[in-house]
Each structure stands twice: as C-alpha cells, then as structure tokens.
Amino acid sequence: MNDSDLLATVPIFSDLSAKVLDELLSRMTKRSYQKNNMILMEDEFGDTFFIIASGSIKITRVSEDGREVILAMLGEGEFFGEMSLLDGETRSANAIAIEESNVLILKRHDFLLFLERFPRIAISLLTEMAGRIRKSDQQIESLSLSDAEHRIGITLIRMAEELGTIRQGKVEISNLPYQQDIANMAGTSRETVSRMMKILEDKGFIKRSGHSLSILDYSQFKRTFS
Ligand code: CMP
C-alpha cells in the first residue's frame, strides 16, 4: 500500500478528501525503526505526532523497580504522540518498536493546524482517545481485582480485539506477542503466563501452535473472563 492509500485508511482521517490527504502527506516525513528501537521516551519534550505505516509499537511505562508495564500495543493505521502536543506536557509514556516499523511523522504546528481546519479530525481523535481510556480502565480493573487466570484471560481478550480476526465464533491471533510482553500487559511474570496458558489450553479455552493462538469459543471466553 502506498502512503496516500494508507492515510485514507487511517480512521481519524477517514473524512478527508484525496486533495487534503495529499496536502497532509506533503507535510509528513517518514522514518523506520528496527525491532526494540525506542521511538519516544517518557518525560522528554516532543513536538511530533506519529502514524504507524507498518509494523507494531508498544506503549510502556517503567515502574520504580524497573519492571516494564505495557499500556497498549498499536498497529498499522494507528497513531501516538498526540497527548503532549495537546497539553504541552512531556511525553506520557515510552513508544518502542516491537518489530521493524515505519512511521509517518507530523510536526506539532501542522498537527494543530489540521485539527483547527478540519474539526472532524478532532472528533475522531477524541473518539479514539475515549476508546483508549476505556481500555485503560479495564486494565486498571483487571490489575487491581483479578486473580492471575483472569488477568491473562482479560489480556487475551484485549489482544483478540486489537490483533485478532474473528471468524465463526473463533478468534485467531496469528502474531501473538512474546510471553514476556503478555506478562507486562497483564502485570504478572512470564512464568505465570506460561503456566496459565497451559491451564487455559488444558481446559479447552485456547489452542496454540507456534506464534498463533486461537480462542475456540470467543463468546464463552468473554463471558468467563470479562
Ligand atoms: P505522548 O504523551 O505525546 O507520548 C506517549 C504516547 O503514548 C502518548 O502521547 C499517547 O499517544 C500514547 N499513550 C499513552 N498512554 C496510552 C494508553 N493508555 N493507551 C494508548 N496509548 C497511550
């Protein structure tokens, strides 16, 4: 997919005409990051907004004792870096490439100019940010209330929604994150993820093969864990 086709599929730009998308693209620069490269660092000042053209990015914070907490995993067509442009504060979190990734970058001035010129972008941005707060609320609830099996269950539901494809009641996640990353999303250890995945598999909830995972009856899984 070329960059204009990609921009047209980005939900927050879905209402823009081809002409405006071209103008937007002409203001953007492109950058590539290798796996594990840091794109944004928490607490730094920044003046750039990012759209993911390909690959995937994790949004993290590091706890006092050095543990990584994954707040979100973002993929093609999604954005990040908007918060500090909007409130003028430092970056709220780190952004790290999970795999080789390409991003399109817009400077603060152009980002704010487009929001003013096209209020529908602002509304779409707010819609997406509301969705992110909902997910964070679920994550807080899961981290504070649930036992390990439920935390892993809730994390798998989140990955199913973000990365999976649903067909005939079954979800396939073909690019399953590493167990350490799943642990950092669920607020538990890699060993617990490994143990709980085995239990979920033995109970017939999931099936694994290589880097793929299927949730066999997604409605039942959601009823059990959310
Ligand atoms: P900014 O604060 O500029 O830099 C870090 C970025 O991470 C932030 O903008 C958001 O784009 C993104 N981010 C921070 N917290 C979350 C979250 N809970 N869910 C998804 N993205 C987030």
Side-chain angles (χ1 to χ4, degrees), residues 40 59 71-72 80-84 91-93 132 136:
L40 290 184
I59 303 293
L71 304 175
F80 60 94
E82 78 295 350
M83 286 171 60
S84 49
R91 297 293 189 189
S92 59
R132 290 182 182 184
S136 294

Side-chain angles (χ1 to χ4, degrees), residues 3-19:
D3 295 341
S4 339
D5 290 344
L6 174 90
L7 268 195
T9 67
V10 172
I12 58 164
F13 300 137
S14 60
D15 287 328
L16 300 183
S17 67
K19 189 165 164 274

Side-chain angles (χ1 to χ4, degrees), residues 136-147:
S136 294
D137 289 351
Q138 276 168 354
Q139 191 176 11
I140 292 167
E141 183 189 351
S142 135
L143 292 177
S144 56
L145 298 180
S146 315
D147 54 77

Side-chain angles (χ1 to χ4, degrees), residues 156-171:
L156 287 180
I157 292 170
R158 185 161 175 194
M159 290 191 307
E161 304 285 334
E162 290 177 2
L163 308 170
T165 46
I166 302 179
R167 208 169 301 127
Q168 292 171 342
K170 181 174 155 182
V171 173

Side-chain angles (χ1 to χ4, degrees), residues 40-44 46-50 57-61 70-74 79-87 89-95 128-129 131-133 135-137 139 158 162:
L40 290 184
M41 223 199 269
E42 188 183 342
D43 291 338
E44 277 185 357
D47 72 340
T48 41
F49 172 75
F50 297 78
I57 306 295
K58 61 180 174 180
I59 303 293
T60 74
R61 292 197 44 147
I70 298 183
L71 304 175
M73 293 206 187
L74 305 175
F79 64 82
F80 60 94
E82 78 295 350
M83 286 171 60
S84 49
L85 302 195
L86 293 168
D87 68 8
E89 300 283 333
T90 54
R91 297 293 189 189
S92 59
N94 305 297
E128 174 58 27
M129 290 175 82
R132 290 182 182 184
I133 293 176
K135 284 183 188 160
S136 294
D137 289 351
Q139 191 176 11
R158 185 161 175 194
E162 290 177 2

